Amino acid sequence: MLIEFKFENYRSFRDEAALSMEATGLGAFKDSLILHKNLRILPAAAIYGKNGGGKSNVIRAFWLAAQFVRNAQRTQHEKANIPMQPFLLDDDSRNKPTSFEFTYLLDDVKYVYGFSATKTEIVKEYLFHSPKGQSALVFYRNYQTFEFRENTDKKLRQLISEAVAKNQLYFAVACTMNEKACVSAMRWFREHLFFSRDYTDIPHQLLEYSEDPDMLKSIKDYAKAADLGIQDMQFELKSRDISELEKDADGVPEGIIEALTLFARALSENTNESETKLKLGEVHATSFHKGRSADGTEKLYPLQLADESDGTRKLMALAPGIERVLNCGGVMCVDELDKEMHPLMVEMIVSKFQSPVSNPNHAQLIFTTHDMELLNMELLRKDQIYFVDKRRKDGTSTLYSVSDYSTTTNENIRKGYLLGKFGATPDLQIEEVI
């Protein structure tokens, strides 16, 4: 479970920004909260803001830091640059380090992991854990100087520090050498974080759940539940029904993974490219819609993926990731959750995380959106609503919550946002219509 994510000097965010998933003392939707000892954690957070204000950069910051942490041991060879993107609209920030910090819970242990880096070196890095309730330092790093306070594995940790280059994360290198505390902490980054692949500056990644035999079933189930008119779906690879292959003992067999990956990518792309990639992957996806034959009897008629709407493909593309995180727990981040989808479809997705019945494993959803319907406070609490605004005077983005404002219990948050009370809206001149 994510408790808090902080970052600083990244893209449009010059100053520190914090996304806290700790609930405030509000009385609304208490049953939706995730309880752990004295903590009350939010299952979802929605981020609003005007176009170009920087709200997508919150998701990008989370993604960049998580990807670097879990892949650093493979990507950071001796001369590799660190993929930092500092704030560029002043004279100083571009030369200062970018910082990230995650506070999270895994297997009843609280972890705090953070690092600061320029494009050439790690400036600071640290990990705290609390296996016995009290916070304890695993390691602290200031450039190439390391500190270890626990006697357990201290010699191994010192040995690892001697092998860590200035552009490498100690955390990642320690995991390759089986340092127990780091291995345990790393599991959250590698097994409990999921991302939508829809942000424009992130290249297509290999589908994280492509080996999950339930992937195709979730696509079918979501398409039917969302009242898209789809009654059933059929998937074929080289004229073999994929649903039959799912019965293999080892799940989806080797050789089908690449084709399924191309299929999932095609779901969120334009029609022509979708069809091309499906053919290249030798995947044939057919949906069946209810219609009437010439004699008036009810009948199912097939449609190809290209014939489905953009919103339908968007929902189908998100479905496997949503179901996986709901089934195993973890955090899912989605940029523009409402893009091409009806507000009621967005509500359906958010409600799955808000309900303890459909979310027994304490999954969390963090998403950006323009969907005003979610501001009616009939599904989310005030402390689950965040805004991102960009200051005109210096081009810096700021992240803040409705909870930072003084609001009455019954205040109309949607109306207040549209009237500019919370900022983060475009300054537009609307022509009078007479």
Side-chain angles (χ1 to χ4, degrees), residues 23-34 40-43 354 376-384 408-410:
T24 62
L26 296 172
F29 303 122
K30 286 185 176 180
D31 291 340
S32 295
L33 300 179
I34 303 168
R40 302 189 313 147
I41 307 297
L42 301 171
Q354 289 289 98
N376 60 18
M377 299 297 103
E378 294 179 0
L379 187 61
L380 296 173
R381 297 157 46 102
K382 292 178 183 178
D383 51 5
Q384 292 179 278
T408 62
T409 303
N410 298 320

Side-chain angles (χ1 to χ4, degrees), residues 215-230 233 312 314-327 332 341 345 348-350 352-353 358:
M215 184 186 81
L216 297 175
K217 183 178 184 298
S218 67
I219 292 174
K220 182 192 300 186
D221 291 347
Y222 270 64
K224 292 171 67 175
D227 194 26
L228 301 172
I230 296 174
M233 293 197 73
T312 297
K314 171 71 179 290
L315 179 65
M316 292 163 66
L318 287 171
I322 293 171
E323 280 304 291
R324 182 168 180 184
V325 74
L326 286 171
N327 288 334
M332 184 168 188
M341 289 202 297
M345 289 171 64
M348 179 190 77
I349 292 172
V350 176
K352 285 180 174 291
F353 289 83
S358 53

Side-chain angles (χ1 to χ4, degrees), residues 4 18 59 62 102 160 165 186 201 240-242 250 252 279 307 336 359-360 372 383 387 389 398 401 417 421 428:
E4 186 175 53
I59 304 295
F62 203 117
F102 297 88
I160 294 169
M186 181 65 78
D201 68 338
R240 293 183 64 190
D241 190 341
I242 289 178
D250 295 327
V252 179
K279 290 175 183 177
D307 298 319
E336 297 187 13
N359 187 15
M372 298 295 178
D383 51 5
F387 299 108
D389 204 0
T398 55
S401 169
Y417 175 54
K421 175 177 179 178
L428 303 175

Side-chain angles (χ1 to χ4, degrees), residues 27 44 125 135 174 215 222 227 239 242 261 272 293 335 369 397 424:
E125 187 185 6
S135 179
M215 184 186 81
Y222 270 64
D227 194 26
S239 299
I242 289 178
T261 302
N272 292 333
S293 62
D335 194 20
T369 183
S397 295

Side-chain angles (χ1 to χ4, degrees), residues 95-321:
N95 298 316
K96 292 181 178 179
T98 298
S99 301
F100 304 96
E101 182 183 275
F102 297 88
T103 303
Y104 58 96
L105 282 168
L106 181 64
D107 297 332
D108 290 331
V109 178
K110 182 178 179 181
Y111 295 95
V112 179
Y113 173 73
F115 69 93
S116 300
T118 65
K119 289 182 179 295
T120 58
E121 63 183 335
I122 306 298
V123 174
K124 182 172 65 174
E125 187 185 6
Y126 50 89
L127 175 65
F128 293 85
H129 66 169
S130 52
K132 299 179 181 179
Q134 293 284 346
S135 179
L137 177 69
V138 178
F139 70 87
Y140 183 88
R141 170 188 191 175
N142 183 31
Y143 291 94
Q144 291 301 94
T145 301
F146 296 84
E147 178 184 350
F148 311 99
R149 291 183 187 169
E150 294 181 321
N151 291 325
T152 305
D153 290 333
K154 191 170 184 178
K155 289 184 178 180
L156 174 61
R157 292 171 184 171
Q158 289 173 335
L159 179 64
I160 294 169
S161 69
E162 296 174 7
V164 177
K166 69 175 185 177
N167 66 340
Q168 293 179 320
L169 292 177
Y170 176 94
F171 190 24
V173 175
C175 288
T176 66
M177 299 182 71
N178 202 33
E179 198 283 296
K180 294 180 181 178
C182 289
V183 169
S184 297
M186 181 65 78
R187 283 187 50 243
W188 186 76
F189 288 94
R190 292 182 175 163
E191 301 175 15
H192 293 268
L193 297 183
F194 307 88
F195 297 89
S196 158
R197 274 154 292 277
D198 287 334
Y199 0 117
T200 57
D201 68 338
I202 297 176
H204 289 309
Q205 304 160 46
L206 197 64
L207 208 62
E208 294 175 10
Y209 38 72
S210 60
E211 298 184 43
D212 186 348
D214 293 326
M215 184 186 81
L216 297 175
K217 183 178 184 298
S218 67
I219 292 174
K220 182 192 300 186
D221 291 347
Y222 270 64
K224 292 171 67 175
D227 194 26
L228 301 172
I230 296 174
Q231 303 299 310
D232 199 3
M233 293 197 73
Q234 181 179 345
F235 305 89
E236 294 180 343
L237 175 68
K238 294 181 180 179
S239 299
R240 293 183 64 190
D241 190 341
I242 289 178
S243 63
E244 295 178 2
L245 296 175
E246 291 175 24
K247 299 174 184 177
D248 290 0
D250 295 327
V252 179
E254 189 174 354
I256 199 174
I257 295 173
E258 182 179 355
L260 292 183
T261 302
L262 289 171
F263 167 68
R265 289 176 181 174
L267 286 174
S268 58
E269 296 182 349
N270 68 57
T271 300
N272 292 333
E273 289 185 7
S274 295
E275 291 305 296
T276 300
K277 290 195 173 182
L278 285 177
K279 290 175 183 177
L280 287 174
E282 299 184 84
V283 174
H284 189 68
T286 305
S287 59
F288 293 88
H289 293 250
K290 190 182 296 184
R292 290 198 174 273
S293 62
D295 62 5
T297 59
E298 202 172 83
K299 182 180 176 181
L300 293 180
Y301 290 88
L303 290 178
Q304 303 309 308
L305 182 68
D307 298 319
E308 299 292 351
S309 71
D310 290 341
T312 297
R313 292 206 303 269
K314 171 71 179 290
L315 179 65
M316 292 163 66
L318 287 171

Side-chain angles (χ1 to χ4, degrees), residues 338-382:
D338 58 321
K339 184 179 180 182
E340 299 169 337
M341 289 202 297
H342 191 280
L344 289 178
M345 289 171 64
V346 176
E347 284 194 26
M348 179 190 77
I349 292 172
V350 176
S351 68
K352 285 180 174 291
F353 289 83
Q354 289 289 98
S355 170
V357 175
S358 53
N359 187 15
N361 297 310
H362 303 154
Q364 293 170 291
L365 175 67
I366 299 171
F367 63 99
T368 67
T369 183
H370 292 289
D371 185 358
M372 298 295 178
E373 296 302 317
L374 294 176
L375 293 176
N376 60 18
M377 299 297 103
E378 294 179 0
L379 187 61
L380 296 173
R381 297 157 46 102
K382 292 178 183 178

